[in-house]
Amino acid sequence: MTDQPSGTGDGVRTAAAHLIAAFTHLGAEHKALTAEQEQATGKDIQSTVRRMTGEIGETSRILAHATTALATVQGMRSFGINGQMARDEEGAPYSPLISLGDPDEQLYEALSLVQVAARHLGSAYTPTRKHPGLAGVRRPAQMRTVLARMRDAVTVLSAELTARGRGEPTEFAACVAFLEDLAERTCPGLPSQTGPSAREVAAAILADPGIARAAAAALQHVPS
């Protein structure tokens, strides 16, 4: 194997950024569950929270492996490794020796790992018969980021594989839908922002000296 479709290229880097963000934001939820486990009084509740904590830990481990797989893909591509076979004296492929690795296989492996991580998150927040109320996230802002970034990583990697002729566009659609449904089910709605954002306010101040003066005057009357 010496020639492969080029794909989009940027997908691997983008997906890695998504997975790193998901991995990072898992910390807040794991910390909250660990504290809850230590404070729980009933054995059933403690056991349930312990299981949830373990599932978050396993999700973190799998996302770390998926990110490493993407780093391997990036490195293999930069070195021009694409499954080449050894050659005989006439330049023909020589099959008795092993071939080099295939970055697309690593790419598929990373996608599969994210899919497994999603299943672990789903298991963490599966309601139990005795304590269904425990099946919600403790840090919704961070976990919404985790689930959204995992979803985006799957979307980007699936498109990357499809562009390289190595996958079907809908192969991982169920995983994307699962992550979206999990976010809606487990994360309480965050309050929507009303009024202009901080970025919009700053832009307005910079664009209009009158607004800048008004803002400065208002700040002088803010109690310290």
Side-chain angles (χ1 to χ4, degrees):
M1 181 186 301
T2 57
D3 296 320
Q4 294 185 356
S6 60
T8 62
D10 291 337
V12 173
R13 188 180 296 274
T14 301
H18 286 315
L19 294 187
I20 291 169
F23 171 85
T24 302
H25 282 79
L26 276 174
E29 182 75 0
H30 189 272
K31 182 178 181 180
L33 285 169
T34 299
E36 185 176 328
Q37 178 186 326
E38 294 172 352
Q39 297 168 4
T41 54
K43 289 186 177 179
D44 287 344
I45 294 178
Q46 190 176 53
S47 176
T48 298
V49 177
R50 182 185 302 113
R51 175 186 58 79
M52 297 173 71
T53 307
E55 294 285 15
I56 296 295
E58 187 66 8
T59 301
S60 175
R61 185 187 68 82
I62 295 170
L63 289 181
H65 283 304
T67 306
T68 300
L70 291 184
T72 301
V73 171
Q74 194 77 354
M76 293 172 75
R77 288 182 177 180
S78 68
F79 284 119
I81 298 172
N82 61 1
Q84 296 98 322
M85 296 179 65
R87 302 284 177 166
D88 61 19
E89 71 279 6
E90 297 177 352
Y94 187 70
S95 59
L97 297 180
I98 66 170
S99 60
L100 295 179
D102 182 353
D104 286 352
E105 291 180 2
Q106 286 287 318
L107 192 65
Y108 192 90
E109 175 69 13
L111 249 173
S112 299
L113 285 170
V114 179
Q115 197 170 35
V116 173
R119 288 200 292 267
H120 278 281
L121 283 180
S123 177
Y125 299 106
T126 298
T128 62
R129 182 176 59 83
K130 289 187 177 181
H131 304 288
L134 293 176
V137 304
R138 275 58 176 177
R139 298 293 181 265
Q142 286 80 9
M143 285 304 295
R144 276 190 178 274
T145 296
V146 170
L147 295 167
R149 291 301 194 108
M150 289 174 64
R151 175 204 63 200
D152 291 346
V154 172
T155 301
V156 170
L157 291 176
S158 181
E160 178 81 6
L161 271 177
T162 300
R164 296 176 64 81
R166 301 295 292 268
E168 296 296 327
T170 59
E171 184 173 358
F172 292 92
C175 183
V176 171
F178 176 81
L179 289 166
E180 291 176 343
D181 291 344
L182 187 61
E184 290 300 316
R185 178 172 66 81
T186 62
C187 297
L190 298 177
S192 59
Q193 178 176 291
T194 58
S197 66
R199 185 187 297 272
E200 291 170 337
V201 171
I205 291 174
L206 292 173
D208 190 332
I211 296 177
R213 288 192 294 271
L219 288 173
Q220 290 177 355
H221 295 88
V222 174
S224 58

Short mmCIF file of all heavy atoms in Angstrom, two decimals, residues 184-221:
data_model
loop_
_atom_site.label_atom_id
_atom_site.label_comp_id
_atom_site.label_asym_id
_atom_site.label_seq_id
_atom_site.Cartn_x
_atom_site.Cartn_y
_atom_site.Cartn_z
N GLU A 184 -28.74 16.03 26.69
CA GLU A 184 -30.07 16.54 26.98
C GLU A 184 -30.68 15.88 28.21
O GLU A 184 -31.39 16.53 28.99
CB GLU A 184 -30.99 16.32 25.76
CG GLU A 184 -30.66 17.19 24.57
CD GLU A 184 -30.76 18.67 24.91
OE1 GLU A 184 -31.75 19.06 25.57
OE2 GLU A 184 -29.85 19.43 24.53
N ARG A 185 -30.39 14.59 28.40
CA ARG A 185 -30.99 13.86 29.52
C ARG A 185 -30.32 14.14 30.85
O ARG A 185 -30.99 14.20 31.88
CB ARG A 185 -30.93 12.35 29.22
CG ARG A 185 -31.50 11.48 30.35
CD ARG A 185 -31.59 10.04 29.94
NE ARG A 185 -30.29 9.43 29.73
CZ ARG A 185 -29.52 8.96 30.72
NH1 ARG A 185 -29.91 9.08 31.98
NH2 ARG A 185 -28.37 8.39 30.46
N THR A 186 -29.02 14.30 30.86
CA THR A 186 -28.29 14.34 32.12
C THR A 186 -27.86 15.73 32.57
O THR A 186 -27.58 15.93 33.75
CB THR A 186 -27.02 13.46 32.04
OG1 THR A 186 -26.15 13.98 31.02
CG2 THR A 186 -27.38 12.02 31.71
N CYS A 187 -27.77 16.67 31.65
CA CYS A 187 -27.28 18.00 32.01
C CYS A 187 -28.45 18.97 32.15
O CYS A 187 -29.14 19.24 31.16
CB CYS A 187 -26.31 18.51 30.94
SG CYS A 187 -24.81 17.52 30.78
N PRO A 188 -28.66 19.50 33.33
CA PRO A 188 -29.73 20.51 33.49
C PRO A 188 -29.47 21.69 32.56
O PRO A 188 -28.31 22.02 32.26
CB PRO A 188 -29.60 20.93 34.95
CG PRO A 188 -28.89 19.79 35.62
CD PRO A 188 -27.97 19.21 34.58
N GLY A 189 -30.53 22.29 32.09
CA GLY A 189 -30.38 23.42 31.18
C GLY A 189 -29.64 24.56 31.84
O GLY A 189 -29.95 24.95 32.97
N LEU A 190 -28.64 25.07 31.17
CA LEU A 190 -27.90 26.22 31.69
C LEU A 190 -28.64 27.50 31.34
O LEU A 190 -29.26 27.59 30.28
CB LEU A 190 -26.49 26.24 31.09
CG LEU A 190 -25.62 25.03 31.42
CD1 LEU A 190 -24.28 25.15 30.70
CD2 LEU A 190 -25.40 24.89 32.91
N PRO A 191 -28.61 28.50 32.21
CA PRO A 191 -29.33 29.74 31.90
C PRO A 191 -28.79 30.38 30.63
O PRO A 191 -27.58 30.45 30.42
CB PRO A 191 -29.03 30.63 33.13
CG PRO A 191 -27.81 30.03 33.75
CD PRO A 191 -27.88 28.55 33.46
N SER A 192 -29.70 30.80 29.79
CA SER A 192 -29.27 31.42 28.53
C SER A 192 -28.81 32.85 28.81
O SER A 192 -29.30 33.52 29.72
CB SER A 192 -30.43 31.45 27.52
OG SER A 192 -31.51 32.15 28.06
N GLN A 193 -27.86 33.29 28.01
CA GLN A 193 -27.32 34.63 28.19
C GLN A 193 -28.29 35.66 27.64
O GLN A 193 -28.83 35.51 26.55
CB GLN A 193 -25.98 34.73 27.46
CG GLN A 193 -25.36 36.12 27.55
CD GLN A 193 -24.00 36.13 26.91
OE1 GLN A 193 -23.06 35.54 27.39
NE2 GLN A 193 -23.91 36.80 25.77
N THR A 194 -28.54 36.69 28.43
CA THR A 194 -29.40 37.77 27.97
C THR A 194 -28.53 39.01 27.78
O THR A 194 -27.63 39.28 28.57
CB THR A 194 -30.50 38.07 28.99
OG1 THR A 194 -29.90 38.39 30.24
CG2 THR A 194 -31.41 36.85 29.17
N GLY A 195 -28.84 39.78 26.76
CA GLY A 195 -28.06 40.98 26.51
C GLY A 195 -26.79 40.65 25.76
O GLY A 195 -26.50 39.50 25.43
N PRO A 196 -25.99 41.66 25.49
CA PRO A 196 -24.76 41.47 24.72
C PRO A 196 -23.71 40.70 25.52
O PRO A 196 -23.68 40.75 26.74
CB PRO A 196 -24.29 42.91 24.43
CG PRO A 196 -24.87 43.71 25.57
CD PRO A 196 -26.19 43.07 25.87
N SER A 197 -22.85 39.99 24.80
CA SER A 197 -21.77 39.26 25.44
C SER A 197 -20.66 40.23 25.85
O SER A 197 -20.63 41.40 25.44
CB SER A 197 -21.20 38.22 24.49
OG SER A 197 -20.57 38.85 23.39
N ALA A 198 -19.73 39.73 26.68
CA ALA A 198 -18.60 40.56 27.10
C ALA A 198 -17.79 41.01 25.90
O ALA A 198 -17.31 42.15 25.83
CB ALA A 198 -17.73 39.78 28.08
N ARG A 199 -17.64 40.11 24.91
CA ARG A 199 -16.89 40.46 23.71
C ARG A 199 -17.58 41.58 22.93
O ARG A 199 -16.94 42.51 22.42
CB ARG A 199 -16.72 39.22 22.82
CG ARG A 199 -15.84 39.45 21.59
CD ARG A 199 -15.88 38.22 20.69
NE ARG A 199 -15.34 37.07 21.38
CZ ARG A 199 -14.04 36.75 21.38
NH1 ARG A 199 -13.18 37.52 20.76
NH2 ARG A 199 -13.62 35.68 22.01
N GLU A 200 -18.92 41.50 22.84
CA GLU A 200 -19.67 42.53 22.12
C GLU A 200 -19.60 43.87 22.85
O GLU A 200 -19.51 44.93 22.22
CB GLU A 200 -21.12 42.08 21.97
CG GLU A 200 -21.29 40.91 21.01
CD GLU A 200 -22.68 40.32 21.06
OE1 GLU A 200 -23.37 40.49 22.09
OE2 GLU A 200 -23.09 39.69 20.08
N VAL A 201 -19.65 43.83 24.19
CA VAL A 201 -19.54 45.07 24.95
C VAL A 201 -18.17 45.72 24.73
O VAL A 201 -18.06 46.93 24.50
CB VAL A 201 -19.76 44.80 26.46
CG1 VAL A 201 -19.42 46.04 27.29
CG2 VAL A 201 -21.20 44.38 26.71
N ALA A 202 -17.11 44.90 24.79
CA ALA A 202 -15.76 45.43 24.59
C ALA A 202 -15.62 46.03 23.20
O ALA A 202 -15.01 47.11 23.03
CB ALA A 202 -14.74 44.32 24.79
N ALA A 203 -16.18 45.36 22.19
CA ALA A 203 -16.09 45.87 20.83
C ALA A 203 -16.82 47.20 20.69
O ALA A 203 -16.35 48.13 20.02
CB ALA A 203 -16.67 44.84 19.85
N ALA A 204 -17.97 47.32 21.36
CA ALA A 204 -18.73 48.57 21.29
C ALA A 204 -17.97 49.72 21.95
O ALA A 204 -17.96 50.85 21.45
CB ALA A 204 -20.09 48.39 21.96
N ILE A 205 -17.33 49.43 23.08
CA ILE A 205 -16.56 50.46 23.78
C ILE A 205 -15.40 50.95 22.92
O ILE A 205 -15.13 52.15 22.83
CB ILE A 205 -16.05 49.92 25.13
CG1 ILE A 205 -17.24 49.73 26.09
CG2 ILE A 205 -15.01 50.84 25.75
CD1 ILE A 205 -16.88 49.06 27.39
N LEU A 206 -14.72 49.98 22.27
CA LEU A 206 -13.58 50.36 21.45
C LEU A 206 -14.02 51.13 20.21
O LEU A 206 -13.28 51.98 19.70
CB LEU A 206 -12.81 49.10 21.02
CG LEU A 206 -12.08 48.36 22.15
CD1 LEU A 206 -11.50 47.04 21.63
CD2 LEU A 206 -10.97 49.23 22.73
N ALA A 207 -15.21 50.86 19.71
CA ALA A 207 -15.66 51.48 18.46
C ALA A 207 -16.25 52.86 18.66
O ALA A 207 -16.26 53.68 17.74
CB ALA A 207 -16.69 50.57 17.77
N ASP A 208 -16.75 53.15 19.86
CA ASP A 208 -17.46 54.42 20.08
C ASP A 208 -16.90 55.12 21.32
O ASP A 208 -17.13 54.67 22.44
CB ASP A 208 -18.96 54.14 20.26
CG ASP A 208 -19.78 55.42 20.24
OD1 ASP A 208 -19.26 56.48 20.61
OD2 ASP A 208 -20.96 55.34 19.85
N PRO A 209 -16.19 56.23 21.15
CA PRO A 209 -15.64 56.95 22.30
C PRO A 209 -16.72 57.38 23.29
O PRO A 209 -16.49 57.46 24.49
CB PRO A 209 -14.95 58.16 21.67
CG PRO A 209 -14.66 57.73 20.26
CD PRO A 209 -15.79 56.85 19.88
N GLY A 210 -17.91 57.69 22.79
CA GLY A 210 -19.00 58.09 23.67
C GLY A 210 -19.39 56.98 24.63
O GLY A 210 -19.63 57.20 25.82
N ILE A 211 -19.46 55.74 24.10
CA ILE A 211 -19.77 54.60 24.95
C ILE A 211 -18.66 54.37 25.96
O ILE A 211 -18.89 54.05 27.12
CB ILE A 211 -20.01 53.34 24.10
CG1 ILE A 211 -21.24 53.51 23.21
CG2 ILE A 211 -20.17 52.10 24.98
CD1 ILE A 211 -21.51 52.34 22.30
N ALA A 212 -17.42 54.58 25.51
CA ALA A 212 -16.28 54.41 26.40
C ALA A 212 -16.37 55.38 27.58
O ALA A 212 -16.13 55.01 28.73
CB ALA A 212 -14.97 54.61 25.64
N ARG A 213 -16.72 56.63 27.30
CA ARG A 213 -16.83 57.63 28.37
C ARG A 213 -17.96 57.28 29.32
O ARG A 213 -17.84 57.42 30.55
CB ARG A 213 -17.03 59.02 27.77
CG ARG A 213 -15.78 59.60 27.09
CD ARG A 213 -15.98 61.07 26.78
NE ARG A 213 -17.04 61.28 25.78
CZ ARG A 213 -16.83 61.30 24.48
NH1 ARG A 213 -15.60 61.13 23.99
NH2 ARG A 213 -17.82 61.51 23.65
N ALA A 214 -19.07 56.84 28.77
CA ALA A 214 -20.21 56.47 29.60
C ALA A 214 -19.87 55.28 30.50
O ALA A 214 -20.25 55.23 31.68
CB ALA A 214 -21.41 56.13 28.71
N ALA A 215 -19.14 54.31 29.93
CA ALA A 215 -18.75 53.14 30.71
C ALA A 215 -17.81 53.54 31.83
O ALA A 215 -17.93 53.07 32.98
CB ALA A 215 -18.07 52.11 29.80
N ALA A 216 -16.86 54.43 31.54
CA ALA A 216 -15.94 54.89 32.56
C ALA A 216 -16.67 55.64 33.67
O ALA A 216 -16.37 55.46 34.86
CB ALA A 216 -14.87 55.79 31.93
N ALA A 217 -17.63 56.46 33.30
CA ALA A 217 -18.40 57.21 34.31
C ALA A 217 -19.21 56.26 35.18
O ALA A 217 -19.31 56.44 36.40
CB ALA A 217 -19.31 58.22 33.61
N ALA A 218 -19.79 55.24 34.56
CA ALA A 218 -20.59 54.29 35.32
C ALA A 218 -19.73 53.51 36.31
O ALA A 218 -20.13 53.27 37.45
CB ALA A 218 -21.31 53.34 34.36
N LEU A 219 -18.54 53.14 35.89
CA LEU A 219 -17.66 52.38 36.77
C LEU A 219 -17.23 53.19 37.98
O LEU A 219 -16.96 52.64 39.04
CB LEU A 219 -16.42 51.92 35.99
CG LEU A 219 -16.67 50.80 34.97
CD1 LEU A 219 -15.42 50.54 34.14
CD2 LEU A 219 -17.10 49.52 35.67
N GLN A 220 -17.16 54.52 37.85
CA GLN A 220 -16.77 55.36 38.97
C GLN A 220 -17.80 55.32 40.09
O GLN A 220 -17.51 55.61 41.24
CB GLN A 220 -16.56 56.79 38.49
CG GLN A 220 -15.33 56.98 37.62
CD GLN A 220 -15.21 58.41 37.12
OE1 GLN A 220 -16.09 59.24 37.35
NE2 GLN A 220 -14.11 58.68 36.45
N HIS A 221 -19.03 54.95 39.75
CA HIS A 221 -20.11 54.94 40.75
C HIS A 221 -20.41 53.53 41.24
O HIS A 221 -21.36 53.34 42.01
CB HIS A 221 -21.39 55.56 40.16
CG HIS A 221 -21.23 57.02 39.82
ND1 HIS A 221 -20.77 57.44 38.61
CD2 HIS A 221 -21.47 58.13 40.57
CE1 HIS A 221 -20.73 58.77 38.58
NE2 HIS A 221 -21.14 59.21 39.77
#
